[in-house]
Amino acid sequence: MKIKRYTPRRFAAAAVMSAALVSGLSFAPVFTPTAAAQEAAMRTLTVTGQGEESVQTTKTQVELGVDVQGTDAAAVQREVAQRTAAVVELLRSRSVEKLETTGIQLSPRYNYENGRQDVIGYTGSNTVSFRMPTESVGSLIDDAVNAGANQIRGVSFVADDAALEAARQQALRAAVEDAQAQAGVVLGSLNLRSQEIVSIQINGAAPPMPVPMARRAEFSAQSDASTPVIGGEQTVEARVTLQIRY
């Protein structure tokens, strides 16, 4: 007959099991902290709310250009510089905001004939941008054209920074309310109740892009009337994602 040999470890385990059988005790499964965390993560609802807030624009962003053509590169660049300097001096005298140069270019013009490429002249340009209150920008554009600008490259409208920040905060509040309302509908339909918010993520609340001027707007530097410029609204959008334990 083969005799079983028990090591001290096996003997202790056998003793515990025997004691449990004698006393009628049963063993319940033990949940580790990791298992408890996984169970909690499984009982979460993720919802994304959206909000938006519109604000009236009060300022206009303008890009003005000076374009010159000629047969001599130096002469073209010199005329561009002179006319641009006059425009910039005018803009500074009106205390415009965020005045800056956004483009300078000098390039040859070619004539293609019989397989040949001949330089027939040069085109020079200079572009400046600035921002100012919308109610004053029309007359300034007219004066800038008289000073030497011959291109209006872009006009867009922006709201005041403080107004945009207030709109951003309101959009965030609306996004949170939307997310909570969605969660309430879903959990209520399943006869469940929310317990706590375990995660909050702001997905988007960036400043909006400037509003471009409508196509129907026209510019005409007339002596008896200034160019009409009418602003619009900017809309700030925000998204908030909530994870809610139920």
Side-chain angles (χ1 to χ4, degrees), residues 68 72-74 76-77 80 104-108 122-125:
V68 176
D72 181 75
V76 167
Q77 183 61 26
V80 169
I104 298 177
Q105 185 177 7
L106 178 65
S107 58
Y122 296 87
T123 299
S125 66

Side-chain angles (χ1 to χ4, degrees), residues 34-78:
T34 301
Q38 292 176 344
E39 174 69 13
M42 291 176 62
R43 295 185 60 86
T44 59
L45 172 66
T46 301
V47 290
T48 298
Q50 298 186 4
E52 64 178 40
E53 182 72 11
S54 295
V55 58
Q56 184 68 37
T57 61
T58 57
K59 296 182 179 181
T60 302
Q61 182 82 28
V62 181
E63 278 195 322
L64 294 177
V66 173
D67 286 0
V68 176
Q69 291 185 352
T71 57
D72 181 75
V76 167
Q77 183 61 26
R78 186 164 51 250

Side-chain angles (χ1 to χ4, degrees), residues 84-159:
T84 302
V87 172
V88 170
E89 183 180 357
L90 169 68
L91 297 177
R92 284 176 173 166
S93 69
R94 302 290 180 88
S95 301
V96 300
E97 304 172 19
K98 300 185 177 182
L99 175 62
E100 62 179 348
T101 298
T102 57
I104 298 177
Q105 185 177 7
L106 178 65
S107 58
R109 294 185 294 117
Y110 295 98
N111 180 48
Y112 299 92
E113 187 176 357
N114 298 325
R116 294 182 56 183
Q117 174 179 293
D118 298 321
V119 176
I120 60 173
Y122 296 87
T123 299
S125 66
N126 193 316
T127 303
V128 296
S129 70
F130 64 93
R131 182 178 297 184
M132 70 178 306
T134 299
E135 65 270 14
S136 304
V137 76
S139 60
L140 179 55
I141 288 176
D142 296 337
D143 293 341
V145 170
N146 291 329
N150 56 8
Q151 293 287 332
I152 301 175
R153 306 200 194 278
V155 175
S156 56
F157 304 103
V158 293

